Amino acid sequence: MDNLLHIENGGIVKRSDIPLVSFDSFATILSEFVENDGYIVQFFALVEGDKNKLIAVVRNNQLFILSTEVGENFASLTATASEKFHMFEREIAEQYGIVPKDHPWLKMVRYHANYRGAPDAFGNNYSEDIPGNYSYFQVEGEAVHEVAVGPVHAGIIEPGHFRFQCSGEEVFSLEIQLGYQHRGVENLFTEVPLKRLPIIAESIAGDTSIGHNLCCCQALEALGGLSVDPGAQIVRSIALELERIANHIGDLGALSGDVAFNPPAAYFGRIRGEFLNLLQVLCGNRFGKSLVLPGGISQIMTAEQSTIIEEKLKELEPEIRHVCDLLFSAHTVQARFEQTGTVSNQMARDLGLVGYAGRASGIEYDARVTFPTESYRQLPANRNEMTNGDVNSRATVRKEEISHSIHLIRLLLNKAGETSSTTIMQDFTLEPDALIITINEGWRGEISHCLMTDAEGKIERYKVKDPSFHNWTGLAMSLRNEEISEFPLCNKSFNLSYCGFDL
Amino acid sequence: MLKIIKNRIEQGHKTTSYPKEPIELYKRYRGLPKINQDCDISVVNQCAAICPQDAIVASERKIDLGKCTFCGRCENVAGGAFVTFSQDFGMGTATREALLCDGSLPALADHAKDHFKKLFGRSLQLRQVSAGGCNSCEADTNVLNTPFFDLSRFGIDFVASPRHADGIHVTGPISKNMKSALISTYEAIPSPKVVIASGCCSISGGPFYGSSEIVGDLSAIVPVDLYIPGCPPHPLTTLHALLKFFK
C-alpha cells in the first residue's frame, strides 16, 4: 500500500513521479486494494520507448496511481484477485497485444488490430470487418436453444450483438459482444490539433456530451494552466444536471413503454425534450455540444436564460411528480419492475458497478461527492432509499435523482450572479511529461479521462473510460435465470452506452 | 384510472402545428449560416483557421455544411463579420455539392427525383441504421415519435424490418465494424429504395474525420438521395427535410 501514490482528481502528476514497481508487488498491492472495497478507475497499457508499461488508477475515497513494466504477457489479476479487472485486461490485450495469462475468458472488446503491430491476442486477422466473428459461449443440451440479436436492432438504437442461451423462456446466460461503434477515438485524440478535442469529446457518447467534454476540458485546463471563473463553473454544473434529468426522464418513459403502459411513456418522452431544449437555450445545441471549452464556456448565462430555466422548472416539476406517481403506483408496473433483473449488492461490488446501477444495488459512490469538480463542492448530496438491485430500484434511483438534480439547478441558479465571461477556443501549450486524470459523475456514473503528455507537451496517450465499461457486465448478470421477455426492461433500466464503450 | 385521466388533463394537447404554422427556435440555436460574401479575406482565413472541422473553404467564401458541427466558433471572429447563424432549421439537400453553401440552399422541394414523391409521398417506412453514431443523431430521430412532433401523422414511420422498409436512414461515420451490417441492411430493402444520410458523421465523418477506423462517407458505399446536416440535426431539420423531399 505504501507504494501507491495519492493523486488528486484533475491534478497534474509528473510522469517521473508515478511509482514504478515490479509486477509481483504491483499484483500484490492492487489485489489487496480491491479486496478492501477498492475500485479501478483506469487500468491501461502504453509503450514507453521499447518498454511495455501498465498503469493503474484506483480509488476508495481517495485516488491512487501505480505502474509496472511487463513483457509480452503478465499474470492475469482477474484470475487471482477480482472480476473488477476482467474488462480492463481484455482491453489491454486488444489495444497492445500484451496478454493477461490465465485470464478466465480472454476475448476481444471492440474488434480492432492492436496499436503496437504485435501478434493479435485473439488470433484475428481483421480481414473480415465483423466483430461477431467469434465462437460464442454455448450451453448444450436437448432443451437448450440460442437467441441471437443484432447488431442492427428493431428500433432507432445503436448496434451491438446479444447472444442468449435459453431453456424455454429462461435465460441461462447472456453474452454481449460490442465493438460495432468503434471509431478509434483514443488514437484520434493524439493525432489531431487541440481545436478538435472538445468536438470529439462531445461525440464519445452524444447523450453524455457535457460529462465527457468536462473530463476532456478539465484535463486540458490543468495541463494548459487555464483557470475557469466561478460563473462558468455554475453553468457547467447546471448543464451536467440538465443532461442527467433529460436522460433519466427519457429512460423512465422508455421503461414505461416496455411494460406497455403508454401514458407515462408519451408524457415523459415529451418532457425529456423540454430539458434538451433548456440545453439549447444555454448554448444552441440540444445535447449541450459546443457549450464547454477549455477555460470556460462558449456562451454566458444571462438573466434571460436563467429565467427561462427557472420558469420551465416551475412548470415541469409538478408534472414530473404526477407522472412519476402515475408510473410507480400502477400495480401492473410494480408487478413487472419488482424483483426483476436483480443484481445483488455482493455481485455489484464484485463487478465494480458505478452510477445509478451501483447505487440501486447499495453502492453509495457518487463522484460528485467523493471527487467534486466545478460547483459540486458547495452542493448537497443525494441519498437513495431503494437499494434492492432490481429494475424497480434502478427506476426509483432515477426518480430520486431527477428531483435532486432539479433542486441542485435551483440552488445553482440562485448563485448565478457570479462573474463570468465568454471563452474562445485558443491554442495553448500543455505541460510536458505529465499525467492527469479527470473524473466526473455523468448521468450514467463515473466518467474518467486520462491524458499523458510527452517531453514536447504533445498528447502521447489519451485514455477514455465511460461508466458503461463497468456496467455492461452488470446487465449480463441481471438476466441470469430471468425470462427472456424481461430483457428490454433490464436493458432500459441500465441504458448503457454502446458508443461510449466502443470508443 | 382516475390518475390516468388527471394526468391526461394536465398534459393537454402538445403536438406542434408545424408545418401548417411556422415554428420559432430560441435565438441561440444555430441553423442555416448567413455568409457575408464581401467579407475581408483575412477574416475569412481566420475563421477557416479556427474551424475544428475544417469546414470553411476560404477561397470561395463558403461553408461545407456536410462537415460543419454548428459549434459557432466562427461566429465569434470579428463580431460575426464573415458568418452568423440564423434560426432557419430547413437545411436538407438532395446533393452533396449543394451543402457547400454560400448562405443559401436550393429549394429541397424542387429536387430531381419526382418519382419518390409519387412512390412514398403518402406512406414512407424507414429503417434506421446507426453506424458508429454517438447516439445524439439517433436520440433526436427517436424524438420525432414523441407527441410533440408525432411523425406518424404524416404517414412516416420507422420500422423494424428492412423488408418492410422503403428506405434507409443512416447516422454515424460508418465504423469499419458496422460496414457489412449496413450493406446487408441496405440490400435487404426492396427496390426502389431511398437512402438518407443524417448528421455530419454520415456525410463526412463528422468529428471523427481522419480516423482510420471509419469509412467516413455514406455515399462511398451506397448512393445517397437526401442529406440532412447537423451535429445532430435538429428534429425539425429532419422533419422539414422528410416533408419537403417526399410530400
Side-chain angles (χ1 to χ4, degrees), chain A residues 255-429:
Chain A
L255 280 168
S256 188
D258 278 345
V259 296
F261 191 36
N262 288 331
Y267 306 152
F268 276 143
R270 195 265 309 168
I271 295 172
R272 171 179 167 275
E274 302 269 14
F275 282 95
L276 295 179
N277 285 340
L278 289 181
L279 280 170
Q280 180 171 287
V281 164
L282 276 181
C283 72
N285 183 292
R286 282 165 48 96
F287 294 83
K289 291 185 178 188
S290 79
L291 176 66
V292 181
L293 288 175
I297 45 172
S298 63
Q299 298 190 63
I300 56 169
M301 181 175 71
T302 65
E304 182 184 323
Q305 284 85 34
S306 74
T307 311
I308 293 177
I309 295 174
E310 208 177 326
E311 294 290 316
K312 212 48 181 181
L313 289 183
K314 204 186 282 174
E315 174 194 327
L316 293 174
E317 197 266 336
E319 287 187 26
I320 294 168
R321 222 169 342 106
H322 299 154
V323 183
C324 272
D325 180 45
L326 175 63
L327 175 65
F328 284 93
S329 67
H331 296 157
T332 46
V333 173
Q334 285 170 352
R336 289 293 306 278
F337 279 16
E338 284 178 357
Q339 288 164 32
T340 300
T342 304
V343 180
S344 68
N345 178 272
Q346 189 57 49
M347 175 72 73
R349 287 187 187 283
D350 287 348
L351 296 173
L353 300 191
V354 296
Y356 51 75
R359 289 192 283 276
S361 294
I363 302 177
E364 277 187 18
Y365 174 60
D366 182 335
R368 289 175 294 178
V369 179
T370 315
F371 305 112
T373 59
E374 306 301 334
S375 308
Y376 288 105
R377 222 173 286 276
Q378 309 144 29
L379 295 172
N382 188 32
R383 205 187 144 75
N384 299 116
E385 301 299 333
M386 181 89 72
T387 56
N388 302 326
D390 54 1
V391 169
N392 196 39
S393 300
R394 283 187 289 276
T396 307
V397 168
R398 315 279 203 112
K399 181 183 85 175
E400 291 165 350
E401 289 192 11
I402 292 166
S403 29
H404 177 246
S405 293
I406 291 176
H407 178 58
L408 293 188
I409 294 175
R410 284 182 169 151
L411 290 175
L412 288 163
L413 286 174
N414 286 335
K415 292 175 197 258
E418 302 263 13
T419 52
S420 144
S421 55
T422 308
T423 299
I424 290 170
M425 182 74 198
Q426 46 201 340
D427 258 331
F428 49 92
T429 52

Side-chain angles (χ1 to χ4, degrees), chain B residues 84-182:
Chain B
T84 54
F85 288 88
S86 73
Q87 281 67 54
D88 179 0
F89 53 79
M91 291 187 284
T93 65
T95 63
R96 176 71 182 89
E97 297 73 40
L99 286 173
L100 190 59
C101 165
D102 61 2
S104 63
L105 293 171
L108 184 56
D110 304 339
H111 67 89
K113 290 168 183 159
D114 253 349
H115 62 290
F116 278 150
K117 292 189 184 183
K118 213 165 144 192
L119 283 169
F120 306 128
R122 288 155 67 91
S123 161
L124 175 68
Q125 315 291 312
L126 291 170
R127 171 66 243 197
Q128 208 284 327
V129 177
S130 161
C134 76
N135 203 25
S136 55
C137 283
E138 292 78 356
D140 255 358
T141 309
N142 247 331
V143 153
L144 291 172
N145 292 318
T146 60
F148 181 80
F149 298 99
D150 193 15
L151 186 66
S152 36
R153 73 194 149 118
F154 302 107
I156 305 172
D157 279 300
F158 285 92
V159 294
S161 171
R163 301 284 188 211
H164 302 160
D166 303 311
I168 192 169
H169 174 272
V170 181
T171 51
I174 307 112
S175 50
K176 275 186 183 170
N177 290 349
M178 254 321 268
K179 191 177 156 195
S180 305
L182 172 63

Side-chain angles (χ1 to χ4, degrees), chain B residues 35-39 41 44-45 48 55-64 82 97 99-103:
Chain B
I35 293 173
N36 174 13
Q37 283 296 327
D38 306 320
C39 180
I41 193 70
V44 184
N45 282 331
I56 297 174
V57 184
S59 57
E60 299 181 41
R61 290 187 166 82
K62 285 180 176 174
I63 298 184
D64 186 348
F82 173 54
E97 297 73 40
L99 286 173
L100 190 59
C101 165
D102 61 2

Side-chain angles (χ1 to χ4, degrees), chain B residues 192-205:
Chain B
K193 52 191 157 191
V194 51
V195 176
I196 303 169
S198 175
C200 61
C201 278
S202 64
I203 301 171
S204 70

Side-chain angles (χ1 to χ4, degrees), chain A residues 110 181-186 204 463-464 499-503:
Chain A
R110 311 187 173 98
Q181 300 279 75
H182 180 61
R183 293 144 289 165
V185 166
E186 286 183 6
I204 292 172
K463 189 79 200 75
V464 179
C499 53
F501 178 93
D502 285 345
L503 300 176

Side-chain angles (χ1 to χ4, degrees), chain A residues 43-54:
Chain A
F43 180 32
F44 59 92
L46 81 154
V47 175
E48 228 174 48
D50 53 355
K51 297 198 174 83
N52 297 335
K53 267 196 158 177
L54 300 181

